Amino acid sequence: MPVNYAEAIKYYKLAAERSHTEAQFSLAFCCEKCKDVPVSQAEIAMYCKQAADKGHAGAQCYLGYCCEHGQGVALNYAEAVKYYKMAADQGYISALLNLALCYDYGRGVPVDRAAAANCYKLAADQGLADAQYYLGLCYEDGRGVPVNYAEAVKYYKLAADQGHALAKEKSKRMPSVFRAF
């Protein structure tokens, strides 16, 4: 049976209007996949907020993203961090990465490279390639952790093994740099 996002949205919306938490989150996901269904970004964010407020980690992470990018809600980095933290506290690894980026670049919180490196590590150790790449950068540059080229190579290789293009380039270059020390 072929995927029919428009049909799924119709039923998710009915369930979401009846406060079904998973449907509220799934509605947002389907609307992202099917751009020609008449559901506004504000409506998607509203359903996501309802699910997020009930503790749904995926919805919290997605709502954090909406707040960070002004998608369906006002641009608000502090709110993004709040929702990322809620999801990260439940172990949602995408939220850990997004929270790390907020700490790394000072979005909604003061720049805190040690907190960023810690979040990257938590997500990297769960296998998230982007987090492995960013943690490699931290170890290479001494951002929030002491410079450690062996650890940088390790995390670049882990990410590269999952197909991360930037990590592949770094892992090719790093061994020769590492041998120089």
Side-chain angles (χ1 to χ4, degrees), residues 114-167:
N118 183 58
C119 290
Y120 288 137
K121 180 145 180 38
L122 290 170
D125 289 347
Q126 293 182 59
L128 190 62
D130 283 338
Q132 291 165 340
Y133 170 73
Y134 283 112
L135 186 57
L137 290 175
C138 291
Y139 281 117
E140 181 180 3
D141 299 335
R143 290 187 348 216
V145 294
V147 171
N148 185 327
Y149 295 115
E151 286 293 295
V153 169
K154 170 184 154 185
Y155 284 103
Y156 288 145
K157 180 151 179 23
L158 287 169
D161 288 348
Q162 294 185 65
H164 195 285
L166 294 172

Side-chain angles (χ1 to χ4, degrees), residues 52 55-57 59-65 68 77-100 102-103 107-110 112 115-116 119 122:
H56 191 287
Q60 291 165 341
C61 184
Y62 186 80
L63 187 57
Y65 180 87
E68 184 178 4
Y77 293 133
E79 280 291 294
V81 168
K82 176 181 115 177
Y83 284 107
Y84 289 149
K85 281 183 180 179
M86 291 168 74
D89 286 346
Q90 295 184 63
Y92 202 79
I93 62 173
S94 295
L96 284 166
L97 175 62
N98 292 341
L99 184 58
C102 289
Y103 282 125
R107 288 189 181 142
V109 290
D112 184 340
C119 290
L122 290 170

